[in-house]
Amino acid sequence: MRESEERFEQLTQFNRTVIWECDAQGLYTYVSDSAYDILGYFPDEMVGHLHCWDLAPEATRERLKAQMLERFAAHKPFRDFISSITHQRGHLLWRSSGALPILASNQTLLGYRGSDRDITDQKRSEETIKTLAFYDTLTGLPNRKLLLDRLKQALAASKRSGHYGAILLLDLDHFKTLNDTMGHQQGDLLLIQVAEQIVGATREGDTVARLGGDEFVVVLNDLGAAQSDAALASETVGYKLIGALDRLYPLDALEYRSSASIGITLFQGDDASNDDLLKQADIAMYRAKESGRNTISFFDPQTEAALHQKALLKEELRHAIEHSELVVFYQAQVDDERRICGAEALVRWNHPTRGLVSPAAFIPIAEESGLIVPLGLWVLRSVAQQSVIWQSEARMQDLLISVNVSVRQFMQHDFVDQVRAVINETHVDPSLLKFEMTESILARNTEEIIVKMEQLKAMGIGFSLDDFGTGYSSLGYLKRLPIDQLKIDQSFVRDILSNPNDEIICKSTIALARSMGLDVIAEGVETLSQRDALRLLGCHNYQGFFFAPALCVRDFELMHQKEVA
Ligand code: C2E
Ligand code: CA
Ligand code: CA
């Protein structure tokens, strides 16, 4: 027995096997010395202290215990039973166990005798093989196979959400020349760096894959439900990639300048197949090459045209802000007696050829491009100047003016300073100003917003929560903001008479305002019966076409005069 045990020990040293015995409860009663080499535990530390499953990682321990005890109960042998265990120093090992039950003569279970083979290396090479099958060995990026899989998932997700996604196919410019003249090794060096650039220029959730050769693919998900938004977002990423890739790459003997051409195609749902989409992106990529390389191109010419249209409008808008093509209109806010108690400033664009353009057409572009910041500031200054003029006229002296402030504008780090500068410059009375902000402000970083609002509040400026009821509103948070007024969104006023849900929303907004000691105003009031319904629910301030549309200064003054007369 001793001899055979020694032989066992030698054997186990060699092939990394632990021999063991345990009792009917799984508690080790014998463990071979090899345990120390393999697991980092001396047999003494295991025998009488540990069960067969105790070394399993915590996450799998209970399951392993249950599995083993089930076999114990049935006196079942173990054969190639694979489980993971933790080495004394913390790293993970894989073992393959074989064991037979030890039975008393009356067939009761005394325990098990078995062996655990360390198969960690084998497991690792399996992982490596899996990796090889799905990842490109040169760059470590997903390969074509994994890309197709991810793409399929992306299409399914897009079908569920209705959101657009995009495929960007990147092809290096003149890569073949480099490969032919400098050799493949230099080509490989370039590809590795290109892969790093692409990964660096994309977000974590985007798939970046190497299709083969010098072709890479980026899949963008969740670009929103509007095609124009998706086009713009993917265009932005496209140009970011162009910028990141157009540079000098250090190779062995020289620095090599490279760039890429990118073809983009959008997808929504899973109507188009993987192949179709890659083909589309390919066609677009060739178009980018044709138009001089180092650029992007969309598969769908309409997408491209729409983008150009938008870009044009953006340039025109920039020009408009600088050349005072903008005008502020004022829409009256009234009480139950139709007395004007305030006005909302609404910007208009007096376009040289298109005429008066509605903000609905250009505010979104201003938001997207960041032009909303100078635009908003221009509106504020213009309103302040007007308020000062009205202050010198007895009839208009107390007119409170609401100014729309976009979240993006408000989030400027120096927004409070900008406002202060306008006040100092124009000498406007800040207590005649009210900022209208949409509920989406509530979804932002709380503390910063509270601090800013309180600073503005301290200057005397009021706050109204615009489009109330349409978005995110954490009432707990609402309480912490120094808000003066809730503005019931026009979509609820529109159908207040016919849609009980809308009526309930109006009613609860009014109740909420009252409970929090806030004013409430309803916008989009178009008929007397809407006004009456609101009044019945306890709302006594209104704005809407029933009273007056937004008017230019002159018309607004005339209306005001008539009312007072
Ligand atoms: P908003 O702040 O919700 O403004 C109310 C919009 O409803 C205005 O459209 C107004 O003309 C319209 N409206 C007023 N009464 C009625 C009515 O009885 N029925 C209907 N159907 N509509 C009514 P407008 O002037 O086209 O402005 C659209 C949006 O553009 C505004 O929505 C606001 O979000 C934005 N906007 C306008 N001016 C500015 C500005 O100076 N800065 C910022 N950031 N946004 C602005
Ligand atoms: Ca508003
Ligand atoms: Ca509104």
Side-chain angles (χ1 to χ4, degrees):
M1 175 67 193
R2 254 202 66 80
E3 206 182 319
S4 67
E5 228 168 68
E6 244 167 49
R7 212 163 51 79
F8 251 143
E9 297 290 357
Q10 279 165 4
L11 194 75
T12 57
Q13 291 290 325
F14 184 63
N15 65 10
R16 295 191 60 80
T17 299
V18 180
I19 310 291
W20 53 266
E21 279 179 17
C22 69
D23 64 16
Q25 281 72 49
L27 194 66
Y28 284 120
T29 52
Y30 167 82
V31 175
S32 64
D33 286 344
S34 57
Y36 183 75
D37 297 320
I38 299 172
L39 306 173
Y41 290 98
F42 291 109
D44 283 357
E45 295 176 285
M46 296 174 70
V47 171
H49 298 293
L50 297 181
H51 297 85
C52 306
W53 48 80
D54 282 338
L55 291 183
E58 213 178 305
T60 58
R61 196 176 301 145
E62 279 309 308
R63 192 158 40 96
L64 181 64
K65 177 179 174 184
Q67 278 175 345
M68 293 189 104
L69 287 179
E70 194 186 309
R71 284 173 185 246
F72 278 32
H75 302 179
K76 259 208 215 147
F78 288 75
R79 190 167 296 125
D80 297 328
F81 182 85
I82 293 174
S83 57
S84 57
I85 48 174
T86 331
H87 188 279
Q88 191 268 338
R89 283 198 296 275
H91 55 271
L92 202 68
L93 301 171
W94 288 89
R95 66 179 174 188
S96 171
S97 311
L100 291 171
I102 311 169
L103 299 172
S105 50
N106 66 357
Q107 297 299 304
T108 55
L109 184 72
L110 297 175
Y112 269 81
R113 175 180 297 131
S115 62
D116 293 347
R117 195 156 50 87
D118 174 18
I119 55 161
T120 310
D121 287 346
Q122 183 188 330
K123 263 277 181 194
R124 261 195 214 123
S125 31
E126 279 170 19
E127 294 287 321
T128 315
I129 289 165
K130 224 194 262 165
T131 307
L132 284 181
F134 288 108
Y135 291 88
D136 170 43
T137 43
L138 181 66
T139 61
L141 293 178
N143 62 15
R144 185 187 186 95
K145 198 165 161 192
L146 185 54
L147 167 71
L148 293 179
D149 195 54
R150 295 262 179 92
L151 199 48
K152 223 159 101 192
Q153 289 172 19
L155 297 184
S158 160
K159 188 175 181 180
R160 280 194 303 274
S161 66
H163 285 190
Y164 276 89
I167 296 175
L168 285 72
L169 181 73
L170 292 80
D171 188 287
L172 295 186
D173 298 328
H174 307 296
F175 180 71
K176 195 172 166 332
T177 320
L178 169 77
N179 241 356
D180 290 351
T181 55
M182 309 282 302
H184 285 264
Q185 191 163 341
Q186 300 305 304
D188 285 356
L189 270 181
L190 177 66
L191 291 174
I192 291 168
Q193 298 179 59
V194 163
E196 284 167 2
Q197 289 298 111
I198 298 175
V199 170
T202 46
R203 289 177 313 179
E204 206 149 315
D206 304 334
T207 292
V208 178
R210 181 174 172 216
L211 209 53
D214 61 335
E215 285 191 332
F216 296 85
V217 169
V218 176
V219 182
L220 307 176
N221 295 311
D222 257 335
L223 300 180
Q227 190 184 21
S228 59
D229 291 347
L232 198 77
S234 48
E235 183 196 47
T236 307
V237 176
Y239 280 122
K240 193 169 168 205
L241 285 165
I242 291 284
L245 292 174
D246 181 13
R247 62 194 287 267
L248 286 168
Y249 296 84
L251 303 182
D252 278 343
L254 78 166
E255 295 222 298
Y256 180 80
R257 172 144 223 128
S258 187
S259 62
S261 301
I262 303 180
I264 305 177
T265 191
L266 301 178
F267 61 84
Q268 187 193 32
D270 61 356
D271 293 343
S273 71
N274 273 349
D275 281 347
D276 290 345
L277 291 172
L278 287 174
K279 228 174 270 162
Q280 292 177 0
D282 202 48
I283 291 170
M285 188 272 291
Y286 274 102
R287 205 176 300 140
K289 295 256 183 210
E290 275 164 16
S291 49
R293 298 189 161 83
N294 198 15
T295 188
I296 71 170
S297 175
F298 277 89
F299 169 69
D300 177 11
Q302 276 168 348
T303 311
E304 206 155 298
L307 271 178
H308 281 143
Q309 182 63 30
K310 233 178 180 178
L312 188 70
L313 208 56
K314 194 170 99 189
E315 277 320 303
E316 287 184 339
L317 184 57
R318 192 188 306 279
H319 182 270
I321 297 169
E322 285 160 11
H323 295 81
S324 359
E325 285 176 17
L326 301 179
V327 262
V328 178
F329 274 41
Y330 293 87
Q331 185 176 29
Q333 299 180 332
V334 305
D335 63 13
D336 280 338
E337 273 70 54
R338 278 178 168 247
R339 269 194 306 256
I340 296 176
C341 43
E344 178 176 7
L346 291 159
V347 68
R348 299 287 179 265
W349 180 2
N350 208 346
H351 193 280
T353 57
R354 277 181 252 208
L356 220 51
V357 185
S358 131
F362 65 83
I363 290 287
I365 292 172
E367 290 270 5
E368 243 168 48
S369 59
L371 284 173
I372 194 73
V373 175
L375 185 151
L377 196 60
W378 182 89
V379 170
L380 179 63
R381 188 173 290 121
S382 169
V383 165
Q385 286 161 349
Q386 188 58 54
S387 176
V388 171
I389 294 173
W390 280 338
Q391 258 199 291
S392 63
E393 298 172 29
R395 304 172 287 111
M396 314 273 293
Q397 241 170 16
D398 317 318
L399 191 78
L400 205 60
I401 306 177
S402 296
V403 185
N404 291 285
V405 173
S406 115
V407 172
R408 185 152 179 190
Q409 190 188 353
F410 186 85
M411 294 312 287
Q412 295 289 301
H413 72 277
D414 61 346
F415 180 67
V416 176
D417 291 335
Q418 291 174 13
V419 175
R420 196 175 286 126
V422 170
I423 294 171
N424 291 340
E425 188 186 307
T426 58
H427 304 295
V428 66
D429 175 359
S431 64
L432 291 177
L433 297 178
K434 191 187 284 173
F435 285 173
E436 277 192 15
M437 292 199 293
T438 56
E439 266 183 290
S440 58
I441 192 81
L442 302 182
R444 299 303 187 97
N445 177 347
T446 332
E447 293 312 318
E448 188 188 338
I449 288 161
I450 295 178
V451 168
K452 277 187 177 172
M453 285 180 87
E454 266 162 4
Q455 286 173 334
L456 293 164
K457 183 94 203 168
M459 297 180 204
I461 294 170
F463 287 99
S464 179
L465 213 48
D466 205 356
D467 303 346
F468 192 79
T470 57
Y472 170 101
S473 46
S474 151
L475 296 184
Y477 180 22
L478 198 58
K479 274 196 208 133
R480 302 179 53 201
L481 298 178
I483 287 179
D484 304 277
Q485 184 183 60
L486 300 183
K487 194 166 191 183
I488 301 175
D489 188 58
Q490 50 183 279
S491 62
F492 305 118
V493 174
R494 190 184 309 126
D495 298 325
I496 190 169
L497 297 164
S498 56
N499 185 337
N501 276 338
D502 290 348
E503 191 194 347
I504 289 172
I505 291 173
C506 290
K507 195 172 169 177
S508 47
T509 304
I510 293 163
L512 177 71
R514 185 175 299 151
S515 76
M516 289 173 60
L518 305 177
D519 296 336
V520 62
I521 183 167
E523 72 178 342
V525 180
E526 294 182 351
T527 65
L528 181 61
S529 22
Q530 286 171 341
R531 203 270 326 243
D532 288 344
L534 287 159
R535 184 155 68 169
L536 214 61
L537 294 175
C539 174
H540 304 291
N541 285 97
Y542 322 93
Q543 178 184 340
F545 295 163
F546 177 64
F547 305 100
L551 299 168
C552 67
V553 169
R554 238 182 75 87
D555 291 347
F556 184 82
E557 285 174 341
L558 283 174
M559 176 189 68
H560 200 278
Q561 223 167 2
K562 232 188 279 161
E563 188 215 325
V564 175

